[in-house]
mmCIF file of all heavy atoms in Angstrom:
data_model
loop_
_atom_site.group_PDB
_atom_site.id
_atom_site.type_symbol
_atom_site.label_atom_id
_atom_site.label_comp_id
_atom_site.label_asym_id
_atom_site.label_seq_id
_atom_site.Cartn_x
_atom_site.Cartn_y
_atom_site.Cartn_z
ATOM 1 N N GLY O 1 7.317 -7.545 4.517
ATOM 2 C CA GLY O 1 8.587 -8.174 4.177
ATOM 3 C C GLY O 1 8.589 -9.749 4.377
ATOM 4 O O GLY O 1 9.540 -10.376 3.883
ATOM 5 N N ARG O 2 7.631 -10.203 5.168
ATOM 6 C CA ARG O 2 7.519 -11.645 5.477
ATOM 7 C C ARG O 2 6.417 -12.292 4.745
ATOM 8 O O ARG O 2 6.439 -13.509 4.439
ATOM 9 C CB ARG O 2 7.550 -11.875 6.927
ATOM 10 C CG ARG O 2 8.801 -11.397 7.668
ATOM 11 C CD ARG O 2 8.795 -11.821 9.089
ATOM 12 N NE ARG O 2 7.598 -11.329 9.839
ATOM 13 C CZ ARG O 2 6.758 -12.055 10.491
ATOM 14 N NH1 ARG O 2 6.900 -13.406 10.500
ATOM 15 N NH2 ARG O 2 5.775 -11.582 11.204
ATOM 16 N N PHE O 3 5.158 -11.633 4.698
ATOM 17 C CA PHE O 3 3.940 -12.139 4.261
ATOM 18 C C PHE O 3 3.703 -11.483 2.911
ATOM 19 O O PHE O 3 3.937 -10.283 2.694
ATOM 20 C CB PHE O 3 2.787 -11.876 5.153
ATOM 21 C CG PHE O 3 2.884 -12.630 6.511
ATOM 22 C CD1 PHE O 3 4.039 -13.320 6.921
ATOM 23 C CD2 PHE O 3 1.713 -12.635 7.328
ATOM 24 C CE1 PHE O 3 3.962 -14.026 8.114
ATOM 25 C CE2 PHE O 3 1.795 -13.301 8.499
ATOM 26 C CZ PHE O 3 2.884 -13.944 8.833
ATOM 27 N N THR O 4 3.088 -12.236 1.929
ATOM 28 C CA THR O 4 2.664 -11.719 0.761
ATOM 29 C C THR O 4 1.107 -12.223 0.538
ATOM 30 O O THR O 4 0.869 -13.349 0.475
ATOM 31 C CB THR O 4 3.590 -12.248 -0.477
ATOM 32 O OG1 THR O 4 4.951 -11.844 -0.122
ATOM 33 C CG2 THR O 4 2.998 -11.585 -1.642
ATOM 34 N N ILE O 5 0.300 -11.165 0.247
ATOM 35 C CA ILE O 5 -1.056 -11.469 -0.124
ATOM 36 C C ILE O 5 -1.253 -11.389 -1.722
ATOM 37 O O ILE O 5 -0.699 -10.610 -2.347
ATOM 38 C CB ILE O 5 -2.004 -10.542 0.687
ATOM 39 C CG1 ILE O 5 -3.478 -11.013 0.453
ATOM 40 C CG2 ILE O 5 -1.794 -9.115 0.209
ATOM 41 C CD1 ILE O 5 -4.414 -10.205 1.403
ATOM 42 N N SER O 6 -2.163 -12.325 -2.137
ATOM 43 C CA SER O 6 -2.494 -12.276 -3.497
ATOM 44 C C SER O 6 -3.913 -12.755 -3.696
ATOM 45 O O SER O 6 -4.482 -13.367 -2.816
ATOM 46 C CB SER O 6 -1.497 -13.259 -4.257
ATOM 47 O OG SER O 6 -1.583 -14.566 -3.871
ATOM 48 N N ARG O 7 -4.481 -12.472 -4.832
ATOM 49 C CA ARG O 7 -5.861 -12.919 -5.127
ATOM 50 C C ARG O 7 -5.939 -13.297 -6.607
ATOM 51 O O ARG O 7 -5.221 -12.812 -7.514
ATOM 52 C CB ARG O 7 -6.831 -11.791 -4.713
ATOM 53 C CG ARG O 7 -6.778 -10.662 -5.589
ATOM 54 C CD ARG O 7 -7.745 -9.554 -4.987
ATOM 55 N NE ARG O 7 -9.159 -9.928 -5.159
ATOM 56 C CZ ARG O 7 -10.219 -9.109 -4.706
ATOM 57 N NH1 ARG O 7 -9.936 -8.039 -3.973
ATOM 58 N NH2 ARG O 7 -11.414 -9.474 -5.099
ATOM 59 N N ASP O 8 -6.845 -14.148 -6.900
ATOM 60 C CA ASP O 8 -7.339 -14.648 -8.286
ATOM 61 C C ASP O 8 -8.687 -14.206 -8.393
ATOM 62 O O ASP O 8 -9.666 -14.934 -7.871
ATOM 63 C CB ASP O 8 -7.087 -16.115 -8.379
ATOM 64 C CG ASP O 8 -7.298 -16.466 -9.801
ATOM 65 O OD1 ASP O 8 -8.085 -15.900 -10.597
ATOM 66 O OD2 ASP O 8 -6.692 -17.510 -10.255
ATOM 67 N N ASN O 9 -8.974 -13.105 -9.079
ATOM 68 C CA ASN O 9 -10.350 -12.651 -9.249
ATOM 69 C C ASN O 9 -11.234 -13.532 -10.075
ATOM 70 O O ASN O 9 -12.525 -13.780 -9.845
ATOM 71 C CB ASN O 9 -10.447 -11.256 -9.909
ATOM 72 C CG ASN O 9 -9.841 -10.180 -8.955
ATOM 73 O OD1 ASN O 9 -9.933 -10.287 -7.783
ATOM 74 N ND2 ASN O 9 -9.333 -9.167 -9.590
ATOM 75 N N ALA O 10 -10.664 -14.258 -10.950
ATOM 76 C CA ALA O 10 -11.451 -15.284 -11.774
ATOM 77 C C ALA O 10 -11.926 -16.405 -10.862
ATOM 78 O O ALA O 10 -13.010 -16.935 -11.219
ATOM 79 C CB ALA O 10 -10.541 -15.782 -12.909
ATOM 80 N N LYS O 11 -11.149 -16.708 -9.965
ATOM 81 C CA LYS O 11 -11.557 -17.878 -9.076
ATOM 82 C C LYS O 11 -12.216 -17.396 -7.738
ATOM 83 O O LYS O 11 -12.559 -18.191 -7.000
ATOM 84 C CB LYS O 11 -10.303 -18.733 -8.822
ATOM 85 C CG LYS O 11 -9.698 -19.444 -10.053
ATOM 86 C CD LYS O 11 -8.558 -20.305 -9.713
ATOM 87 C CE LYS O 11 -7.982 -21.083 -10.898
ATOM 88 N NZ LYS O 11 -6.826 -21.833 -10.594
ATOM 89 N N ASN O 12 -12.056 -16.100 -7.492
ATOM 90 C CA ASN O 12 -12.581 -15.521 -6.249
ATOM 91 C C ASN O 12 -11.853 -16.062 -5.071
ATOM 92 O O ASN O 12 -12.548 -16.521 -4.109
ATOM 93 C CB ASN O 12 -14.147 -15.736 -6.193
ATOM 94 C CG ASN O 12 -14.774 -14.502 -5.586
ATOM 95 O OD1 ASN O 12 -14.228 -13.425 -5.318
ATOM 96 N ND2 ASN O 12 -16.021 -14.654 -5.358
ATOM 97 N N THR O 13 -10.586 -16.167 -5.210
ATOM 98 C CA THR O 13 -9.709 -16.626 -4.047
ATOM 99 C C THR O 13 -8.736 -15.671 -3.603
ATOM 100 O O THR O 13 -8.334 -14.759 -4.324
ATOM 101 C CB THR O 13 -9.033 -17.923 -4.472
ATOM 102 O OG1 THR O 13 -8.170 -17.644 -5.630
ATOM 103 C CG2 THR O 13 -10.065 -19.042 -4.878
ATOM 104 N N VAL O 14 -8.306 -15.784 -2.313
ATOM 105 C CA VAL O 14 -7.237 -14.912 -1.833
ATOM 106 C C VAL O 14 -6.297 -15.867 -1.061
ATOM 107 O O VAL O 14 -6.770 -16.786 -0.383
ATOM 108 C CB VAL O 14 -7.847 -13.769 -0.945
ATOM 109 C CG1 VAL O 14 -8.547 -14.449 0.264
ATOM 110 C CG2 VAL O 14 -6.698 -12.834 -0.528
ATOM 111 N N SER O 15 -5.015 -15.583 -1.159
ATOM 112 C CA SER O 15 -3.985 -16.320 -0.510
ATOM 113 C C SER O 15 -3.038 -15.504 0.316
ATOM 114 O O SER O 15 -2.941 -14.348 0.035
ATOM 115 C CB SER O 15 -3.208 -17.219 -1.584
ATOM 116 O OG SER O 15 -4.090 -18.102 -2.159
ATOM 117 N N LEU O 16 -2.513 -16.152 1.367
ATOM 118 C CA LEU O 16 -1.476 -15.446 2.104
ATOM 119 C C LEU O 16 -0.171 -16.323 2.334
ATOM 120 O O LEU O 16 -0.303 -17.385 2.924
ATOM 121 C CB LEU O 16 -1.989 -15.108 3.497
ATOM 122 C CG LEU O 16 -1.147 -14.255 4.357
ATOM 123 C CD1 LEU O 16 -1.083 -12.890 3.862
ATOM 124 C CD2 LEU O 16 -1.761 -14.240 5.806
ATOM 125 N N GLN O 17 0.801 -15.933 1.675
ATOM 126 C CA GLN O 17 2.011 -16.684 1.745
ATOM 127 C C GLN O 17 2.862 -16.053 3.002
ATOM 128 O O GLN O 17 3.213 -14.902 2.941
ATOM 129 C CB GLN O 17 2.881 -16.595 0.432
ATOM 130 C CG GLN O 17 4.303 -17.284 0.533
ATOM 131 C CD GLN O 17 4.157 -18.714 0.706
ATOM 132 O OE1 GLN O 17 3.345 -19.413 0.031
ATOM 133 N NE2 GLN O 17 5.120 -19.340 1.561
ATOM 134 N N MET O 18 3.066 -17.021 3.970
ATOM 135 C CA MET O 18 3.788 -16.586 5.254
ATOM 136 C C MET O 18 5.107 -17.149 5.308
ATOM 137 O O MET O 18 5.218 -18.381 5.338
ATOM 138 C CB MET O 18 2.820 -16.898 6.410
ATOM 139 C CG MET O 18 1.463 -16.400 6.293
ATOM 140 S SD MET O 18 0.553 -16.740 7.828
ATOM 141 C CE MET O 18 0.284 -18.506 7.720
ATOM 142 N N ASN O 19 6.181 -16.382 5.257
ATOM 143 C CA ASN O 19 7.454 -16.746 5.421
ATOM 144 C C ASN O 19 8.089 -16.295 6.622
ATOM 145 O O ASN O 19 7.636 -15.365 7.202
ATOM 146 C CB ASN O 19 8.359 -16.290 4.133
ATOM 147 C CG ASN O 19 7.814 -16.908 2.775
ATOM 148 O OD1 ASN O 19 7.218 -18.035 2.742
ATOM 149 N ND2 ASN O 19 7.951 -16.121 1.712
ATOM 150 N N SER O 20 9.331 -16.891 7.069
ATOM 151 C CA SER O 20 10.019 -16.453 8.223
ATOM 152 C C SER O 20 9.097 -16.322 9.432
ATOM 153 O O SER O 20 9.127 -15.188 10.147
ATOM 154 C CB SER O 20 10.646 -15.119 7.973
ATOM 155 O OG SER O 20 11.648 -15.159 6.863
ATOM 156 N N LEU O 21 8.352 -17.276 9.568
ATOM 157 C CA LEU O 21 7.336 -17.306 10.615
ATOM 158 C C LEU O 21 7.974 -17.274 12.067
ATOM 159 O O LEU O 21 8.980 -17.831 12.285
ATOM 160 C CB LEU O 21 6.383 -18.488 10.552
ATOM 161 C CG LEU O 21 5.360 -18.308 9.465
ATOM 162 C CD1 LEU O 21 4.689 -19.617 9.107
ATOM 163 C CD2 LEU O 21 4.166 -17.346 9.899
ATOM 164 N N LYS O 22 7.326 -16.548 12.946
ATOM 165 C CA LYS O 22 7.772 -16.252 14.360
ATOM 166 C C LYS O 22 6.775 -16.750 15.231
ATOM 167 O O LYS O 22 5.575 -16.868 14.968
ATOM 168 C CB LYS O 22 7.944 -14.793 14.595
ATOM 169 C CG LYS O 22 8.901 -14.074 13.621
ATOM 170 C CD LYS O 22 8.908 -12.586 13.885
ATOM 171 C CE LYS O 22 9.908 -11.923 12.875
ATOM 172 N NZ LYS O 22 9.991 -10.443 13.236
ATOM 173 N N PRO O 23 7.058 -17.124 16.520
ATOM 174 C CA PRO O 23 6.098 -17.577 17.493
ATOM 175 C C PRO O 23 4.999 -16.616 17.627
ATOM 176 O O PRO O 23 3.805 -16.974 17.966
ATOM 177 C CB PRO O 23 6.897 -17.793 18.699
ATOM 178 C CG PRO O 23 8.342 -18.181 18.273
ATOM 179 C CD PRO O 23 8.490 -17.255 17.088
ATOM 180 N N GLU O 24 5.351 -15.316 17.628
ATOM 181 C CA GLU O 24 4.278 -14.294 17.790
ATOM 182 C C GLU O 24 3.248 -14.311 16.594
ATOM 183 O O GLU O 24 2.255 -13.504 16.662
ATOM 184 C CB GLU O 24 4.854 -12.965 17.998
ATOM 185 C CG GLU O 24 5.929 -12.486 16.911
ATOM 186 C CD GLU O 24 7.307 -12.766 17.486
ATOM 187 O OE1 GLU O 24 7.604 -13.822 17.928
ATOM 188 O OE2 GLU O 24 8.150 -11.951 17.123
ATOM 189 N N ASP O 25 3.513 -14.926 15.506
ATOM 190 C CA ASP O 25 2.495 -15.036 14.453
ATOM 191 C C ASP O 25 1.453 -16.046 14.794
ATOM 192 O O ASP O 25 0.500 -16.283 14.011
ATOM 193 C CB ASP O 25 3.226 -15.422 13.157
ATOM 194 C CG ASP O 25 4.122 -14.469 12.665
ATOM 195 O OD1 ASP O 25 3.773 -13.202 12.678
ATOM 196 O OD2 ASP O 25 5.229 -14.777 12.194
ATOM 197 N N THR O 26 1.599 -16.854 15.956
ATOM 198 C CA THR O 26 0.633 -17.899 16.366
ATOM 199 C C THR O 26 -0.684 -17.168 16.556
ATOM 200 O O THR O 26 -0.869 -16.190 17.309
ATOM 201 C CB THR O 26 1.089 -18.577 17.623
ATOM 202 O OG1 THR O 26 2.246 -19.314 17.262
ATOM 203 C CG2 THR O 26 -0.001 -19.560 18.093
ATOM 204 N N ALA O 27 -1.754 -17.725 15.833
ATOM 205 C CA ALA O 27 -3.010 -17.046 16.003
ATOM 206 C C ALA O 27 -4.038 -17.922 15.237
ATOM 207 O O ALA O 27 -3.548 -18.796 14.350
ATOM 208 C CB ALA O 27 -3.002 -15.692 15.490
ATOM 209 N N VAL O 28 -5.343 -17.521 15.296
ATOM 210 C CA VAL O 28 -6.305 -18.024 14.442
ATOM 211 C C VAL O 28 -6.381 -17.033 13.286
ATOM 212 O O VAL O 28 -6.619 -15.792 13.470
ATOM 213 C CB VAL O 28 -7.659 -18.218 15.081
ATOM 214 C CG1 VAL O 28 -8.680 -18.671 14.097
ATOM 215 C CG2 VAL O 28 -7.615 -19.333 16.221
ATOM 216 N N TYR O 29 -6.314 -17.391 12.116
ATOM 217 C CA TYR O 29 -6.344 -16.558 10.933
ATOM 218 C C TYR O 29 -7.756 -16.505 10.298
ATOM 219 O O TYR O 29 -8.283 -17.754 9.937
ATOM 220 C CB TYR O 29 -5.238 -16.879 10.032
ATOM 221 C CG TYR O 29 -3.867 -16.459 10.405
ATOM 222 C CD1 TYR O 29 -3.249 -17.014 11.519
ATOM 223 C CD2 TYR O 29 -3.225 -15.427 9.706
ATOM 224 C CE1 TYR O 29 -1.995 -16.598 11.862
ATOM 225 C CE2 TYR O 29 -1.954 -14.901 10.158
ATOM 226 C CZ TYR O 29 -1.341 -15.541 11.238
ATOM 227 O OH TYR O 29 -0.115 -15.164 11.650
ATOM 228 N N TYR O 30 -8.296 -15.454 10.066
ATOM 229 C CA TYR O 30 -9.631 -15.321 9.373
ATOM 230 C C TYR O 30 -9.601 -14.642 8.068
ATOM 231 O O TYR O 30 -9.044 -13.521 7.969
ATOM 232 C CB TYR O 30 -10.538 -14.516 10.297
ATOM 233 C CG TYR O 30 -10.865 -15.241 11.739
ATOM 234 C CD1 TYR O 30 -10.032 -14.854 12.730
ATOM 235 C CD2 TYR O 30 -11.991 -16.046 11.892
ATOM 236 C CE1 TYR O 30 -10.266 -15.431 14.027
ATOM 237 C CE2 TYR O 30 -12.094 -16.677 13.038
ATOM 238 C CZ TYR O 30 -11.339 -16.389 14.188
ATOM 239 O OH TYR O 30 -11.495 -16.947 15.392
ATOM 240 N N CYS O 31 -10.137 -15.272 7.079
ATOM 241 C CA CYS O 31 -10.301 -14.701 5.773
ATOM 242 C C CYS O 31 -11.571 -13.698 5.841
ATOM 243 O O CYS O 31 -12.470 -14.129 6.546
ATOM 244 C CB CYS O 31 -10.538 -15.723 4.707
ATOM 245 S SG CYS O 31 -10.982 -15.198 3.105
ATOM 246 N N TYR O 32 -11.520 -12.586 5.176
ATOM 247 C CA TYR O 32 -12.619 -11.768 5.095
ATOM 248 C C TYR O 32 -12.759 -11.189 3.656
ATOM 249 O O TYR O 32 -11.842 -11.152 3.021
ATOM 250 C CB TYR O 32 -12.615 -10.551 6.123
ATOM 251 C CG TYR O 32 -11.703 -9.457 5.768
ATOM 252 C CD1 TYR O 32 -12.314 -8.301 5.337
ATOM 253 C CD2 TYR O 32 -10.359 -9.512 5.911
ATOM 254 C CE1 TYR O 32 -11.548 -7.228 4.891
ATOM 255 C CE2 TYR O 32 -9.576 -8.450 5.567
ATOM 256 C CZ TYR O 32 -10.194 -7.349 5.033
ATOM 257 O OH TYR O 32 -9.375 -6.146 4.750
ATOM 258 N N ALA O 33 -14.020 -10.751 3.456
ATOM 259 C CA ALA O 33 -14.236 -10.136 2.073
ATOM 260 C C ALA O 33 -15.395 -9.224 2.170
ATOM 261 O O ALA O 33 -16.370 -9.529 2.931
ATOM 262 C CB ALA O 33 -14.479 -11.201 1.042
ATOM 263 N N PHE O 34 -15.384 -8.136 1.406
ATOM 264 C CA PHE O 34 -16.600 -7.349 1.395
ATOM 265 C C PHE O 34 -16.732 -6.536 0.156
ATOM 266 O O PHE O 34 -15.708 -6.349 -0.574
ATOM 267 C CB PHE O 34 -16.578 -6.403 2.687
ATOM 268 C CG PHE O 34 -15.564 -5.203 2.606
ATOM 269 C CD1 PHE O 34 -15.867 -4.018 2.051
ATOM 270 C CD2 PHE O 34 -14.312 -5.360 3.272
ATOM 271 C CE1 PHE O 34 -14.959 -2.946 2.037
ATOM 272 C CE2 PHE O 34 -13.482 -4.300 3.276
ATOM 273 C CZ PHE O 34 -13.778 -3.143 2.705
ATOM 274 N N ARG O 35 -17.886 -6.136 -0.053
ATOM 275 C CA ARG O 35 -18.165 -5.198 -1.209
ATOM 276 C C ARG O 35 -18.531 -3.745 -0.574
ATOM 277 O O ARG O 35 -19.161 -3.755 0.500
ATOM 278 C CB ARG O 35 -19.434 -5.820 -2.078
ATOM 279 C CG ARG O 35 -19.065 -7.138 -2.515
ATOM 280 C CD ARG O 35 -20.239 -7.644 -3.438
ATOM 281 N NE ARG O 35 -19.909 -9.094 -3.829
ATOM 282 C CZ ARG O 35 -20.491 -10.053 -3.288
ATOM 283 N NH1 ARG O 35 -21.251 -10.025 -2.275
ATOM 284 N NH2 ARG O 35 -20.143 -11.324 -3.766
ATOM 285 N N LEU O 36 -18.191 -2.776 -1.295
ATOM 286 C CA LEU O 36 -18.415 -1.433 -0.755
ATOM 287 C C LEU O 36 -19.877 -1.217 -0.409
ATOM 288 O O LEU O 36 -20.773 -1.529 -1.067
ATOM 289 C CB LEU O 36 -17.917 -0.382 -1.783
ATOM 290 C CG LEU O 36 -16.491 -0.331 -2.115
ATOM 291 C CD1 LEU O 36 -16.209 0.656 -3.156
ATOM 292 C CD2 LEU O 36 -15.656 -0.072 -0.851
ATOM 293 N N GLY O 37 -20.045 -0.658 0.970
ATOM 294 C CA GLY O 37 -21.405 -0.451 1.404
ATOM 295 C C GLY O 37 -22.062 -1.588 2.064
ATOM 296 O O GLY O 37 -23.217 -1.318 2.439
ATOM 297 N N LEU O 38 -21.506 -2.666 1.954
ATOM 298 C CA LEU O 38 -22.091 -3.883 2.575
ATOM 299 C C LEU O 38 -21.342 -4.519 3.731
ATOM 300 O O LEU O 38 -20.097 -4.309 3.796
ATOM 301 C CB LEU O 38 -22.347 -4.998 1.512
ATOM 302 C CG LEU O 38 -23.230 -4.521 0.337
ATOM 303 C CD1 LEU O 38 -23.281 -5.530 -0.797
ATOM 304 C CD2 LEU O 38 -24.679 -4.295 0.845
ATOM 305 N N PRO O 39 -21.932 -5.313 4.621
ATOM 306 C CA PRO O 39 -21.097 -5.929 5.695
ATOM 307 C C PRO O 39 -20.177 -6.840 5.118
ATOM 308 O O PRO O 39 -20.406 -7.486 4.052
ATOM 309 C CB PRO O 39 -22.270 -6.589 6.511
ATOM 310 C CG PRO O 39 -23.550 -5.913 6.128
ATOM 311 C CD PRO O 39 -23.314 -5.569 4.700
ATOM 312 N N ALA O 40 -19.099 -7.093 5.952
ATOM 313 C CA ALA O 40 -18.059 -8.055 5.570
ATOM 314 C C ALA O 40 -18.464 -9.439 5.819
ATOM 315 O O ALA O 40 -19.334 -9.781 6.709
ATOM 316 C CB ALA O 40 -16.880 -7.696 6.354
ATOM 317 N N TYR O 41 -17.988 -10.397 4.990
ATOM 318 C CA TYR O 41 -18.151 -11.777 5.281
ATOM 319 C C TYR O 41 -16.914 -12.365 5.878
ATOM 320 O O TYR O 41 -15.707 -11.831 5.540
ATOM 321 C CB TYR O 41 -18.514 -12.545 3.964
ATOM 322 C CG TYR O 41 -19.761 -12.179 3.333
ATOM 323 C CD1 TYR O 41 -19.789 -11.046 2.395
ATOM 324 C CD2 TYR O 41 -20.974 -12.620 3.789
ATOM 325 C CE1 TYR O 41 -21.009 -10.754 1.808
ATOM 326 C CE2 TYR O 41 -22.238 -12.261 3.237
ATOM 327 C CZ TYR O 41 -22.200 -11.328 2.151
ATOM 328 O OH TYR O 41 -23.281 -10.989 1.609
#
């Protein structure tokens, strides 16, 4: 209800829209991606 994830396959990008942020959202955020059967990047 606060965050929305989206991606653009043509550009190979992923985004995270974060609204109504709270102090407990403080963190280091890591992007990840994987293909089935292979390790994540």
